[in-house]
Amino acid sequence: MNDIAVIGTSYVGLTTGVAFADMGNRVVCVDVDEGKIARLKAGKLPIHEPGLHEVVMRSVSAGRLSFSTSYEEGLKRAEFVFIAVGTPDDGTGGADLSQVRAAAQSVAEHMHRPIVVVNKSTVPIGTGDVVTRIINEHRRTSVEFSVVSNPEFLREGSALLDCLQPDRVVLGGPREAAERVAQLYRPLGCPVIITDIRTAEMIKYASNAFLATRISFINEIAAVCERLDADVKEVARGMGLDQRIGPHFLNAGLGFGGSCFPKDVRALMRMATDAGQHPQLLQAVMDINADRRRWVVERLRERLGDLAGKKIALLGVAFKPDTDDVRDAPALTIIRLLRDAGAHVTSYDPEAGEQARRDMPDIDLQPDPYTAVTGADAVVLVTEWKEFRFLDLDRLRRAMSGTTFIDGRNVYDPAEMRSAGFDYLGVARGAGADDSMAGEEIYLDTAVTRSDPV
Ligand code: UGA
């Protein structure tokens, strides 16, 4: 059992702390937000994340997990301290490091024993050196410490699972310290890469930028498919079966949102520019992504004409399913664009209503999908929540005043939607798209194998 302190109790911090506690360590999660810590102590989590609540409760009652606003308490026994605080956009495309700096200083002021400081926050390349300098400046005693970079790759909506079953663990820093951190991850039995600190920091940005690039790539292919009448869903499937390509992150739709991809691509572009390198591919990735939001408005105009006075209902506001997060959510941009065009927009989301109202106080949120679409000229599916797959289509269509249905995530079978009476439009599904035979893989007689000469 190791003693661990985790600074920050949002997605990364809370999930990391809970995961280490579940692996048998003693963990104190520290946050300067008193309200958040009080709520956590009362068993109320600040985020909606499947499975997390149960494991928090289990670890707290086993005495392996506790919460505190005090660095003194958090660092009393800690051999490892994980910094997992926010690094939001600083307004110029760069990452705002003020929370990381403040955490590093507080750690320095409360260190009593040799400690490994592990940075989990997504930070610009070179931040490891900044953290080292801050701790050197502020530590009271000559307590030894090392700084290790350990970027996190968990996704919202599957945070705990991703944390407990990672594809890899990346560690950057002095070998001995990195190896000690590697031991913490041993129970997970996954590959561990040990490298230098700047490379580890870059692996995080490069990974997120690559995934964002895949999404913008398939969205660009979708835009071409749309003009040439091909089905992008089948194109992605056909591509994904090539093992060099793989099937993930090839869902065409309304583009990426959330607190990570947009911010991290922008921050990487900023780092590249500052270093004298023009980030031309990354610029295209962001431009294509912005176009996806406009695509909805263009398609609605084609169908409904002038949008002034029209009623449009959005299904889904969260940036993706299984989260209540609305940061950089396509829905909020689409609502703004539609309102600018004079439309009235209603919306429904199973979890994200409260968060959405914080960002957009006058958002018209309805308690269920059927109320949201009542009297609507058109419906747009923005977030592919599972419950939207099981809607009573007949009831939905009857509640609307029009028949236009834009499926921004290609959730529905076009043929089924058309026979239910909708003027249905998916993302580049092609005129003949019919999911009843979609993705059919026919396995031919194996008389001819790959190794046989053709
Ligand atoms: C992303 C990465 O996937 C994580 O590995 C990383 O740790 C995290 O950012 C982070 O840096 O903290 P997350 O933002 O939670 O995770 O969500 P994703 O599941 O990656 O989805 C991001 C966005 O891409 C969503 O808006 C989603 O709708 C969109 N997306 C995803 C697509 O439009 N198409 C796809 O095929 C996949």
Side-chain angles (χ1 to χ4, degrees):
M1 184 180 72
N2 296 280
D3 276 291
I4 298 173
V6 180
I7 315 300
T9 55
S10 286
Y11 278 98
V12 174
L14 184 59
T15 315
T16 302
V18 171
F20 279 131
D22 204 43
M23 285 187 260
N25 301 289
R26 193 158 47 197
V27 179
V28 184
C29 287
V30 179
D31 202 298
V32 289
D33 184 333
E34 288 178 11
K36 222 167 168 186
I37 291 297
R39 284 191 293 278
L40 278 163
K41 282 183 172 170
K44 293 198 184 85
L45 270 53
I47 51 174
H48 169 82
E49 198 55 54
L52 197 60
H53 190 256
E54 292 83 333
V55 187
V56 168
M57 292 322 209
R58 186 165 78 213
S59 302
V60 168
S61 57
R64 291 193 301 266
L65 180 66
S66 58
F67 302 101
S68 176
T69 51
S70 153
Y71 275 84
E72 187 64 39
E73 193 182 329
L75 270 79
K76 204 166 12 182
R77 286 189 294 232
E79 309 143 79
F80 300 91
V81 55
F82 285 76
I83 297 181
V85 294
T87 53
D89 196 315
D90 67 1
T92 71
D96 174 356
L97 286 181
S98 54
Q99 293 179 51
V100 173
R101 290 173 192 275
Q105 181 171 337
S106 299
V107 167
E109 289 166 354
H110 297 90
M111 293 183 340
H112 299 299
R113 56 175 68 217
I115 203 162
V116 181
V117 179
V118 190
N119 185 39
K120 266 215 168 284
S121 303
T122 301
V123 289
I125 286 77
T127 302
D129 302 335
V130 175
V131 168
T132 304
R133 204 171 51 238
I134 292 173
I135 298 178
N136 265 326
E137 273 169 25
H138 293 276
R139 62 185 169 151
R140 286 181 188 149
T141 58
S142 57
V143 180
E144 283 187 23
F145 73 99
S146 309
V147 175
V148 169
S149 165
N150 172 212
E152 179 52 60
F153 301 101
L154 63 79
R155 289 162 298 177
E156 290 184 23
S158 54
L160 188 61
L161 204 70
D162 289 347
C163 217
L164 292 171
Q165 296 173 5
D167 289 341
R168 80 303 204 184
V169 166
V170 173
L171 299 170
R175 179 110 211 155
E176 197 198 325
E179 278 175 0
R180 286 188 57 210
V181 181
Q183 288 305 318
L184 294 177
Y185 285 102
R186 208 172 162 173
L188 303 182
C190 66
V192 177
I193 291 183
I194 295 185
T195 181
D196 65 90
I197 202 159
R198 296 174 85 90
T199 304
E201 289 167 345
M202 181 53 111
I203 287 172
K204 171 68 187 180
Y205 280 102
S207 300
N208 273 5
F210 183 72
L211 292 169
T213 302
R214 279 179 72 106
I215 298 169
S216 279
F217 176 84
I218 200 65
N219 279 330
E220 176 145 293
I221 295 295
V224 183
C225 283
E226 198 173 31
R227 288 181 184 268
L228 301 182
D229 200 16
D231 181 354
V232 74
K233 207 167 168 181
E234 289 300 282
V235 171
R237 190 172 168 87
M239 288 168 61
L241 286 168
D242 184 326
Q243 289 186 19
R244 294 167 302 172
I245 297 174
H248 305 294
F249 283 74
L250 285 180
N251 293 321
L254 304 180
F256 54 81
S259 65
C260 305
F261 286 174
K263 164 179 83 79
D264 293 350
V265 175
R266 276 195 292 265
L268 184 53
M269 288 169 69
R270 175 69 188 278
M271 279 182 262
T273 308
D274 289 351
Q277 181 64 39
H278 174 47
Q280 48 191 331
L281 176 59
L282 300 179
Q283 183 61 58
V285 167
M286 294 305 287
D287 291 347
I288 293 167
N289 202 49
D291 280 352
R292 297 316 298 166
R293 277 64 157 168
R294 287 192 282 269
W295 175 88
V296 173
V297 183
E298 286 159 16
R299 295 295 84 81
L300 284 170
R301 270 212 187 94
E302 274 171 16
R303 283 172 153 68
L304 305 178
D306 186 359
L307 296 178
K310 297 282 182 334
K311 182 174 170 186
I312 316 291
L314 302 194
L315 298 182
V317 179
F319 84 97
K320 67 173 201 176
D322 294 323
T323 175
D324 59 354
D325 198 337
V326 298
R327 286 176 286 179
D328 254 315
L332 297 184
T333 310
I334 292 167
I335 292 174
R336 288 190 187 102
L337 291 171
L338 289 172
R339 282 179 173 178
D340 288 349
H344 176 71
V345 189
T346 57
S347 48
Y348 163 74
D349 190 283
E351 293 290 343
E354 207 180 302
Q355 299 290 348
R357 211 185 285 285
R358 257 179 235 169
D359 258 47
M360 194 181 264
D362 59 346
I363 189 170
D364 181 346
L365 281 167
Q366 297 296 326
D368 65 77
Y370 306 100
T371 317
V373 308
T374 299
D377 296 284
V379 173
V380 184
L381 182 123
V382 182
T383 316
E384 65 277 36
W385 284 95
K386 222 174 242 135
E387 72 169 68
F388 296 151
R389 289 168 205 259
F390 304 104
L391 290 173
D392 178 341
L393 295 177
D394 200 41
R395 183 175 165 202
L396 203 75
R397 194 184 37 72
R398 279 190 281 107
M400 294 170 62
S401 71
T403 55
T404 299
F405 193 113
I406 299 205
D407 178 359
R409 298 290 177 182
N410 284 342
V411 164
Y412 298 100
D413 176 350
E416 196 185 331
M417 291 300 277
R418 285 182 192 124
S419 68
F422 289 104
D423 173 18
Y424 172 86
L425 180 77
V427 178
R429 293 305 316 272
D434 174 358
D435 285 351
S436 62
M437 53 169 264
E440 210 175 356
E441 287 168 35
I442 300 173
Y443 291 90
L444 298 172
D445 199 301
T446 50
V448 178
T449 67
R450 267 168 180 266
S451 55
D452 288 331
V454 179

